[in-house]
Amino acid sequence: MDGNRRWATKHLLPRVAGHAVGVKNIKPIVKAAIDYGVQSVTLYAFSSENKGRAKDEVESLIDLIRKHLLPLSKEVLALSARVNFFGDISYFPDDVQQIIDGIYKEGEGLTKSVNIALNYSGRAEIIRAARLAAEDGELSESSFERHLYTAGTPELDMIIRTGGEKRLSNFLLYQAAYSELFFTDTLWPDFDKAELIGLFDEYSHRTRRFGTS
Ligand code: IPE
Ligand code: MG
């Protein structure tokens, strides 16, 4: 979900104000994806690297998480999907961690998922999974994958990055091995259902060979 601050600048708002606008776009896009039939959606909301931004921006991002997580999770549950969290949530203040724990428990048993990457780093996820798999006594692809945050979710088919940059920025690095990548110049607050459905259509016309043909 890239491009919030540029959106704010374009609309003559303070840069940090773009995040509050971007947050409002999460629900309609998640709903559109789940309604379309997507089984698992992952939102890259706050990367481990984002912690290095200016203190006031980090604080306002944490405030937005504190304010919007519970209402968003209700919307997700209403779509019969659970909310999962990818990343090291021990970084967040206790009250935010409590909100996260409560939300996580509420969705138990649901198969569709909306995963929110918070303090997430793809490299850290790989190191963590390797360590846990080795602790189990065996390091194989299947033992490793059981310890990824995505364990139990389907293959990662599509990655969409808004905001014009053409890179993964430490997002789901292991899972992206055969994902189809989509980059749009649209800034996240302007990304809408019509564009999402257009990308699903483009995806349906791509031939996926997984290296076998
Ligand atoms: C993405 O928007 C949102 C987060 C990182 C939380 P940016 O904040 O990266 O906005 P731009 O890319 O500077 O416009
Ligand atoms: Mg950015």
Side-chain angles (χ1 to χ4, degrees):
M1 299 184 284
D2 198 14
N4 289 341
R5 296 179 302 183
R6 279 167 285 161
W7 188 96
T9 301
K10 207 173 123 186
H11 292 82
L12 309 178
L13 291 165
R15 271 154 56 88
V16 175
H19 297 309
V21 181
V23 162
K24 293 204 183 93
N25 202 28
I26 293 177
K27 183 191 143 193
I29 294 299
V30 164
K31 182 172 167 24
I34 300 281
D35 286 348
Y36 191 87
V38 174
Q39 294 295 301
S40 183
V41 183
T42 303
L43 303 158
Y44 202 4
F46 186 81
S47 74
S48 299
E49 290 74 24
N50 288 155
K51 287 181 302 208
R53 291 191 177 186
K55 194 166 172 277
D56 64 334
E57 181 172 357
V58 173
E59 277 170 9
S60 80
L61 284 167
I62 294 173
D63 277 343
L64 285 171
I65 293 166
R66 184 181 280 116
K67 184 170 161 203
H68 292 280
L69 216 43
L70 208 51
L72 176 66
S73 76
K74 301 284 175 218
E75 308 282 356
V76 170
L77 285 166
L79 299 167
S80 301
R82 66 170 308 170
V83 180
N84 267 334
F85 295 92
F86 293 179
D88 178 9
I89 65 150
S90 69
Y91 162 76
F92 293 100
D94 285 349
D95 66 319
V96 174
Q97 287 189 49
Q98 276 163 22
I99 297 171
I100 289 173
D101 286 344
I103 291 171
Y104 181 77
K105 289 191 184 104
E106 254 192 282
E108 271 162 2
L110 294 168
T111 49
K112 283 186 278 188
S113 64
V114 174
N115 316 301
I116 307 180
L118 290 177
N119 192 23
Y120 174 83
S121 147
R123 287 180 177 172
E125 180 187 27
I126 289 168
I127 302 295
R128 173 182 175 274
R131 186 171 29 80
L132 293 171
E135 277 170 22
D136 286 350
E138 176 210 9
L139 182 51
S140 65
E141 242 177 68
S142 63
S143 73
F144 177 85
E145 287 170 5
R146 273 199 295 281
H147 292 293
L148 292 172
Y149 295 119
T150 43
T153 67
E155 182 70 26
L156 179 58
D157 292 321
M158 284 181 87
I159 294 179
I160 301 170
R161 182 179 185 142
T162 61
E165 309 288 359
K166 294 182 180 63
R167 54 177 170 260
L168 292 180
S169 298
N170 213 0
F171 183 61
L172 298 176
L173 296 180
Y174 179 91
Q175 296 87 340
Y178 278 99
S179 306
E180 296 292 329
L181 308 180
F182 297 83
F183 299 98
T184 170
D185 288 337
T186 306
L187 304 174
W188 169 253
D190 289 330
F191 185 74
D192 64 7
K193 179 176 172 176
E195 187 169 3
L196 178 72
I197 304 295
L199 294 177
F200 287 158
D201 186 57
E202 195 181 325
Y203 170 85
S204 74
H205 291 100
R206 289 202 190 174
T207 308
R208 304 187 73 196
R209 290 189 296 271
F210 301 97
T212 57
S213 59

